[in-house]
């Protein structure tokens, strides 16, 4: 095939072009995979534990940065009773993990968490449970201790929540988590509260009631929880930016490669035109070359993305366990579609050059 032979005429240039495409697509695929997986983890946990209503501070940028005072939480608990589950969520900078996730839960919520080993800690004991991923990383078993906030904490059991982000952390009592995460002298606060209505048709009424009775708080449906997280919105904006940059950058790389091919083969193209080839036939040959380079780049980019995810997952500086090691085939299909778009867009400039080329001038080209 002519187009394959043309690609192999300059192997170094073709290789560098394919690697350029692969780098851009690998970054796009890896970041998109992390975003999609994180959203699925959060929403999956919300569905698993029937988080029908989430209550958090209205002025907070997202539920995880919320702060609810003790008096207000006491008022909520008095009104909604056992249906309301306060949570304290934060992270500690520990030697074993600079972003060690700590989740403080009520005994009622704790009983809904499946155990993998040991037992649930007793209320007020100061003990904790370790997530499955954190347990494997730390090689910690029930009965042993981990260091949290500069002091040893006894591990009563291990749990599996179904969310890798939570399974890479520690779960303990509300008071214990508040003591770890609150600065000395500051008022102890809660992060958010989860409310179960018991009947799906009352969710909207309860949300409206909370928003009316507590102006400083905001209640949302559990299905909206992942969309309310500022972190996810920032990552999604970043992914969009990376996609545009990758598309433009790879288009320029491929377009430059095709322009160099035209410059080197100007005399050959002139001969083809004199024997009846139209600019469209020449452009079709270049399109085939562009598709080959982009297909190779897309395949290599997906392989690089898998390697990149594994490397990032093993970096303790970003916290362990919550980075996915694989991604859905639909994302791989999107990357190949993006590569196809690059192959087509990158032909615009070379096409303009071809249609302006005169056969006689091309034949005199040296």
């Amino acid at each position: 095939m002519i187009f394959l032979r043309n690609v192999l005429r300059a192997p170094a240039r073709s290789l560098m072009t394919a690697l350029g495409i692969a780098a851009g697509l690998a970054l796009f695929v890896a970041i998109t995979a992390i975003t999609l997986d994180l959203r699925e983890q959060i929403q999956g946990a919300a569905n698993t534990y029937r988080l029908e209503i989430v209550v958090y501070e209205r002025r907070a940028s997202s539920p995880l940065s919320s702060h609810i005072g003790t008096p207000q939480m006491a008022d909520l608990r008095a009104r909604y009773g056992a249906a309301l589950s306060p949570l304290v969520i934060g992270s500690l900078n520990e030697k074993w993990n600079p972003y060690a996730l700590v989740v403080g839960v009520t005994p009622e919520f704790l009983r809904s968490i499946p155990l993998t080993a040991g037992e649930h800690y007793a209320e007020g004991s100061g003990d904790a449970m370790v997530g499955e991923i954190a347990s494997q990383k730390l090689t910690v078993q029930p009965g042993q201790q981990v260091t949290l906030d500069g002091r040893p904490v006894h591990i009563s059991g291990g749990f599996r929540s179904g969310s890798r982000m939570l399974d890479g952390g520690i779960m303990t009592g509300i008071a214990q988590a508040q003591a770890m995460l609150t600065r000395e002298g500051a008022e102890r606060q809660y992060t958010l509260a989860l409310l179960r209505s018991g009947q799906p048709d009352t969710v909207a009424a309860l949300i409206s009631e909370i928003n009316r009775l507590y102006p400083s708080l905001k209640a949302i449906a559990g299905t909206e929880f992942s969309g309310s997280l500022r972190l996810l919105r920032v990552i999604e904006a970043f992914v969009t930016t990376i996609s545009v940059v990758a598309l433009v950058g790879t288009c320029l790389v491929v377009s430059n490669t095709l322009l160099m091919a035209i410059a080197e083969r100007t005399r050959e193209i002139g001969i083809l035109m004199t024997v009846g080839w139209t600019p469209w036939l020449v452009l079709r040959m270049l399109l085939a070359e562009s598709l080959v380079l982009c297909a190779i780049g897309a395949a290599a980019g997906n392989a690089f993305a898998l390697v990149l995810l594994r490397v990032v997952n093993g970096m303790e500086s970003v916290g362990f366990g919550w980075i996915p090691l694989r991604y859905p085939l639909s994302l791989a299909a999107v990357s190949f579609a993006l590569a196809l778009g690059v192959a087509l867009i990158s032909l615009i400039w070379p096409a303009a050059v071809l249609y302006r080329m005169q056969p006689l001038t091309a034949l005199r080209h040296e």
Side-chain angles (χ1 to χ4, degrees), residues 187-202:
E187 178 189 359
R188 294 190 175 185
Q189 296 181 322
Y190 298 83
T191 306
L192 51 85
L194 308 175
L195 179 61
R196 295 181 181 178
S197 66
Q199 297 180 358
D201 55 349
T202 63

Side-chain angles (χ1 to χ4, degrees), residues 91-101 137 308-323:
S91 62
L92 296 173
N93 185 356
E94 301 292 344
K95 291 182 179 180
W96 52 273
N97 186 357
Y99 301 99
L101 182 67
K137 181 72 175 182
L308 182 60
L309 289 173
R310 289 187 174 275
V311 170
V312 175
N313 187 67
M315 296 171 61
E316 293 188 356
S317 59
V318 298
F320 53 80
W322 65 276
I323 300 294

Side-chain angles (χ1 to χ4, degrees), residues 61-121:
S61 57
S62 74
L64 297 183
S65 61
S66 163
H67 298 283
I68 302 177
T70 301
Q72 198 163 43
M73 186 61 74
D75 190 31
L76 284 168
R77 297 198 75 177
R79 178 176 293 275
Y80 298 106
L84 187 88
S85 298
L87 290 183
V88 176
I89 304 172
S91 62
L92 296 173
N93 185 356
E94 301 292 344
K95 291 182 179 180
W96 52 273
N97 186 357
Y99 301 99
L101 182 67
V102 177
V103 182
V105 301
T106 61
E108 295 80 11
F109 187 87
L110 180 66
R111 286 192 287 270
S112 67
I113 304 296
L115 285 170
T116 57
E119 60 184 7
H120 292 114
Y121 55 81

Side-chain angles (χ1 to χ4, degrees), residues 282-360:
V282 179
L283 188 63
R284 192 171 66 178
M285 180 178 64
L286 290 177
L287 173 61
E289 296 176 27
S290 179
L291 287 173
V292 169
L293 291 173
C294 289
I296 295 173
N302 279 276
F304 291 165
L306 291 172
V307 174
L308 182 60
L309 289 173
R310 289 187 174 275
V311 170
V312 175
N313 187 67
M315 296 171 61
E316 293 188 356
S317 59
V318 298
F320 53 80
W322 65 276
I323 300 294
L325 298 180
R326 61 183 66 87
Y327 51 85
L329 290 176
S330 58
L331 182 55
V334 170
S335 70
F336 276 92
L338 186 61
L340 174 61
V342 168
L344 296 174
I345 295 173
S346 61
L347 281 173
I348 295 176
W349 194 354
V353 173
L354 279 175
Y355 276 90
R356 293 175 57 186
M357 185 179 294
Q358 299 297 322
L360 293 179

Side-chain angles (χ1 to χ4, degrees), residues 6-20 257 293 296:
N6 289 337
V7 169
L8 297 175
R9 287 174 66 173
R13 185 173 65 210
S14 297
L15 176 62
M16 295 304 295
T17 301
L19 289 177
T257 298
L293 291 173
I296 295 173

Side-chain angles (χ1 to χ4, degrees), residues 25-314:
L25 290 178
L27 190 58
F28 163 76
V29 170
I31 296 176
T32 304
I34 293 173
T35 306
L36 293 175
D37 184 78
L38 185 57
R39 182 178 289 278
E40 289 177 2
Q41 284 189 62
I42 295 172
Q43 200 58 54
N47 295 334
T48 300
Y49 300 107
R50 295 181 295 149
L51 309 186
E52 296 177 353
I53 301 173
V54 180
V55 183
Y56 63 98
E57 184 185 15
R58 182 173 295 275
R59 64 180 182 179
S61 57
S62 74
L64 297 183
S65 61
S66 163
H67 298 283
I68 302 177
T70 301
Q72 198 163 43
M73 186 61 74
D75 190 31
L76 284 168
R77 297 198 75 177
R79 178 176 293 275
Y80 298 106
L84 187 88
S85 298
L87 290 183
V88 176
I89 304 172
S91 62
L92 296 173
N93 185 356
E94 301 292 344
K95 291 182 179 180
W96 52 273
N97 186 357
Y99 301 99
L101 182 67
V102 177
V103 182
V105 301
T106 61
E108 295 80 11
F109 187 87
L110 180 66
R111 286 192 287 270
S112 67
I113 304 296
L115 285 170
T116 57
E119 60 184 7
H120 292 114
Y121 55 81
E123 184 178 1
S125 65
D127 292 350
M129 291 168 52
V130 63
E132 184 179 38
I133 294 175
S135 176
Q136 294 172 358
K137 181 72 175 182
L138 297 171
T139 62
V140 173
Q141 300 297 328
Q144 298 179 328
Q145 295 181 334
V146 296
T147 301
L148 288 174
D149 196 31
R151 52 190 171 187
V153 176
H154 180 263
I155 299 299
S156 67
F159 68 88
R160 181 191 296 119
S161 68
S163 167
R164 288 194 307 278
M165 185 171 62
L166 292 178
D167 290 346
I170 301 290
M171 193 170 292
T172 186
I174 293 283
Q176 177 84 343
Q178 287 176 326
M180 294 177 187
L181 300 171
T182 304
R183 294 191 302 271
E184 186 176 354
E187 178 189 359
R188 294 190 175 185
Q189 296 181 322
Y190 298 83
T191 306
L192 51 85
L194 308 175
L195 179 61
R196 295 181 181 178
S197 66
Q199 297 180 358
D201 55 349
T202 63
V203 170
L206 284 172
I207 290 175
S208 177
E209 179 182 271
I210 294 172
N211 289 330
R212 176 174 51 84
L213 295 177
Y214 302 94
S216 62
L217 300 179
K218 182 177 182 180
I220 61 173
T223 53
E224 301 174 9
F225 180 63
S226 61
S228 65
L229 295 179
R230 183 182 180 185
L231 174 63
L232 287 178
R233 296 197 299 269
V234 171
I235 292 177
E236 287 172 353
F238 183 61
V239 168
T240 302
T241 303
I242 288 295
S243 301
V244 173
V245 172
L247 179 62
V248 173
T250 51
C251 282
L252 291 176
V253 169
V254 177
S255 184
N256 180 66
T257 298
L258 296 178
L259 287 171
M260 292 178 66
I262 292 174
E264 292 174 355
R265 296 182 236 154
T266 300
R267 186 176 178 83
E268 297 176 24
I269 293 172
I271 295 173
L272 290 174
M273 287 182 172
T274 57
V275 298
W277 277 50
T278 63
W280 161 245
L281 290 175
V282 179
L283 188 63
R284 192 171 66 178
M285 180 178 64
L286 290 177
L287 173 61
E289 296 176 27
S290 179
L291 287 173
V292 169
L293 291 173
C294 289
I296 295 173
N302 279 276
F304 291 165
L306 291 172
V307 174
L308 182 60
L309 289 173
R310 289 187 174 275
V311 170
V312 175
N313 187 67

